[in-house]
């Protein structure tokens, strides 16, 4: 089984008319059509960690067949809001040595000098995105450095493969409430002839003498 990251989504994605948006609220663009887009409402979530509370709200997905119509592709547009309420973090940046008591950083914290919020999706082909898959894929940690805003990403996934797709992130220079919103960010999957799943993740990494990384996962959902 292989695992890899994919980042750099640009905000934007799908353009939908007023009529399509109204139909989405009903759950399907076109009732009775085999290749209709499916609307997937997803539950809110919350996770408490050292010095932080993470919440995810208004998460939803719209799944549709790929325009390639080859049976091995599909597209999902994801939307949601991830919020971090941070009570403890060093103000400003701490330089490369930001682990406990000035020691080298751990779990990727040495790659940046400021606490961070990052949110995205775990996407798998013929893999159930449960705790086992997450543990295997996260053993090296999610790289939360170098995030950008906007558009779409394409993945080629074979059976048993999992990708971590970062949607958006934000630096946390001081205690406070931080939020990122994304709407209709596009993830296109090719090469997966079997079933595919996705699951949201939100990570808050707090640097300093009491380093911590807290992760909130969403509910897995089918993408065809």
């Amino acid at each position: 089984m292989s695992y890899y990251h994919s980042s750099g989504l640009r905000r934007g994605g799908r353009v939908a008319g007023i009529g399509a948006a109204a139909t989405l609220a009903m759950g399907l663009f076109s009732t009775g059509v085999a290749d209709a887009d499916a609307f997937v409402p997803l539950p809110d979530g919350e996770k408490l960690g050292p010095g932080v509370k993470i919440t995810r709200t208004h998460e939803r997905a719209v799944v549709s067949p790929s325009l390639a119509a080859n049976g091995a592709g599909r597209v999902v547009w994801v939307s949601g809001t991830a919020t971090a309420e941070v009570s403890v973090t060093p103000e400003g940046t701490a330089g490369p040595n930001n682990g406990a008591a000035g020691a080298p950083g751990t779990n990727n914290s040495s790659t940046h000098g400021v606490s961070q919020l990052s949110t995205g999706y775990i996407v798998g082909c013929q893999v159930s995105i449960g705790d086992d898959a997450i543990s295997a894929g996260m053993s090296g940690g999610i790289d939360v450095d170098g995030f950008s805003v906007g558009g779409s990403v394409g993945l080629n996934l074979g059976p048993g493969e999992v990708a971590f797709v970062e949607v958006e992130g934000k630096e946390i220079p001081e205690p406070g409430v931080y939020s990122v919103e994304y709407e209709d960010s596009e993830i296109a999957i090719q090469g997966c002839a079997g079933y595919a799943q996705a699951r949201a993740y939100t990570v808050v990494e707090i640097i300093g003498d009491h380093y911590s990384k807290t992760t909130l996962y969403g509910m897995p959902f089918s993408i065809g």
Side-chain angles (χ1 to χ4, degrees):
M1 184 178 293
S2 61
Y3 298 88
Y4 54 92
H5 298 115
S6 180
S7 62
L9 275 164
R10 298 186 304 275
R11 182 186 295 278
R14 200 163 184 218
V15 177
I18 295 175
T23 309
L24 268 178
M26 299 172 59
L28 290 174
F29 277 125
S30 177
T31 303
V33 180
D35 60 354
D37 292 356
F39 174 61
V40 183
L42 294 162
D44 295 345
E46 180 178 302
K47 179 72 175 288
L48 295 175
V52 63
K53 181 173 80 169
I54 307 173
T55 57
R56 186 185 302 106
T57 57
H58 310 300
E59 189 190 1
R60 61 193 184 277
V62 179
V63 183
S64 59
S66 169
L67 294 177
N70 57 10
R74 69 290 314 256
V75 179
V76 58
W77 287 270
V78 290
S79 304
T81 300
T83 302
E85 298 179 35
V86 180
S87 59
V88 178
T89 189
E91 293 194 6
T93 59
N97 292 326
N98 49 53
T106 56
N107 293 337
N108 292 330
S109 67
S110 61
T111 64
H112 55 82
V114 63
S115 299
Q116 294 183 347
L117 161 68
S118 176
T119 194
Y121 285 81
I122 308 166
V123 183
C125 174
Q126 297 186 33
V127 172
S128 178
I129 310 297
D131 293 341
D132 291 343
I134 289 173
S135 295
M138 301 269 287
S139 60
I142 291 178
D143 180 3
V144 296
D145 191 41
F147 29 73
S148 59
V149 179
S152 63
V153 66
L155 301 174
N156 269 297
L157 290 180
E161 290 186 329
V162 174
F164 293 84
V165 179
E166 185 180 279
V167 174
E168 194 165 353
K170 179 174 289 187
E171 293 184 344
I172 302 174
E174 60 186 22
V177 179
Y178 295 83
S179 182
V180 293
E181 299 180 23
Y182 53 98
E183 183 172 0
D184 293 337
S185 292
E186 181 184 3
I187 304 173
I189 299 98
Q190 292 295 335
C192 182
Y195 71 90
Q197 280 192 341
R199 186 179 193 180
Y201 71 82
T202 300
V203 176
V204 173
E205 182 180 16
I206 297 178
I207 64 169
D209 289 346
H210 303 285
Y211 172 86
S212 68
K213 178 181 284 186
T214 304
T215 306
L216 168 66
Y217 298 107
M219 185 181 77
F221 60 94
S222 172
I223 49 177

